Amino acid sequence: MPLPRLSQQNPLSLNELDIYSPELAIIISYPLFNVLQYANRLNEICSLGITHVLPTGSTKIGNIAIAGKGSVSIVLKVKTKGKICALKIRRTDANRETMKREVSMHKIANSVDVGPKLFRFSKNLISMEFIDGLSIVDWVKQQDITSDEVRKVAISILEQCYKLDKVHMDHGELSCINHHVVISKLNTANIIDFESSSTQRKSRNVTAAAQSLFISRGLISNRVNEMLGCAKKEKNIGVLKTYKWNQNKANFDKIIDAFC
Ligand SMILES: Nc1ncnc2c1ncn2[C@@H]1O[C@H](COP(=O)(O)OP(=O)(O)OP(=O)(O)O)[C@@H](O)[C@H]1O
Ligand SMILES: [Mg+2]
């Protein structure tokens, strides 16, 4: 007599869902389920070599935990042949037709070692390095982080922003840093989401991130200022203005000296 199906499963498979699992249909074609869009996205997912979804993360769709949800996309932790990655799937109600523009901006960021490494992409998908961590706001809320760790993270964010300024790419959303920086378990800062980035606008990454980290009123800046003891002094605001007009290394270093 054949064994019951459940006992034949590898215990690991209980923590992962085959990409064809019916439970994933409402996530792959989200928020409106449409058979054609589901079939197209499923085809693209297979063509990128993705085989399984690992249902983990603090956001849920139905009963399935996912890595993240934004206004343009759903992000899943997935598995290709033995490799874990993040899969960004364009929502069916997204205000753009493809992920093409985001991919070209993401490539520019990667060219200066900023952002999760981009692996593969198609019309509706981007697969990239999975960042296992916390949004910066959840990270700063932790009671056991030290001022040295906060300083290291703040400097790393500003240095990455400086690299983006140097290649004249404006991220576009760093004044709302909470949604766009993930801190990994090793306390490494990662700037994510290049869909609003542009090489046509003046780049203002360092000033926008510094504004969020130190100047604007909010949970992140309150905690960073409390940990680093950098009050919002006129002098500090002055160095941001100087950098805004001349984005050179000397002016960038003055920002680091003043705030960090
Ligand atoms: N590479 C990644 N690794 C792990 N989690 C990620 C990764 N990229 C994105 N996420 C998670 O998914 C969420 C949504 O991603 P993202 O901001 O790229 O989507 P979006 O649709 O462009 O969102 P928004 O509406 O904020 O612009 C992020 O806040 C983050 O929690
Ligand atoms: Mg976005």
Side-chain angles (χ1 to χ4, degrees), residues 7 24 27 45 53 58 68 103-104 121 141 146 154 160 163 176 201-202 204 212 226 228 255:
S7 63
L24 292 176
I27 297 174
I45 291 174
V53 171
S58 51
V103 167
S104 62
F121 57 89
K141 274 192 217 158
T146 65
Q160 292 177 52
K163 288 182 184 178
C176 182
R201 294 187 300 263
K202 180 171 167 56
R204 47 186 299 276
S212 294
E226 172 196 309
L228 301 189
I255 295 178

Side-chain angles (χ1 to χ4, degrees), residues 70-73 88 96 102 173 180 192-196:
S71 52
V72 173
S73 62
K88 186 164 178 172
R96 61 208 62 210
E102 177 166 347
E173 295 188 281
H180 299 102
I192 60 163
D193 191 10
F194 300 94
E195 52 132 343
S196 303

Side-chain angles (χ1 to χ4, degrees), residues 98-129:
T98 75
M99 298 300 249
K100 203 171 158 197
R101 211 181 146 277
E102 177 166 347
V103 167
S104 62
M105 294 296 126
H106 197 139
K107 282 182 178 170
I108 297 174
N110 276 184
S111 73
V112 287
D113 287 330
V114 174
K117 277 187 198 64
L118 183 96
F119 296 141
R120 300 183 70 184
F121 57 89
S122 59
K123 182 180 176 215
N124 295 301
L125 312 174
I126 302 178
S127 77
M128 65 184 111
E129 180 186 359

Side-chain angles (χ1 to χ4, degrees), residues 57-74:
S58 51
T59 311
K60 271 191 163 188
I61 293 183
N63 287 328
I64 314 252
I66 60 168
K69 182 166 84 167
S71 52
V72 173
S73 62
I74 296 299

Side-chain angles (χ1 to χ4, degrees), residues 218-229:
L219 222 151
I220 297 174
S221 59
N222 288 348
R223 182 87 165 119
V224 170
N225 284 320
E226 172 196 309
M227 299 290 282
L228 301 189

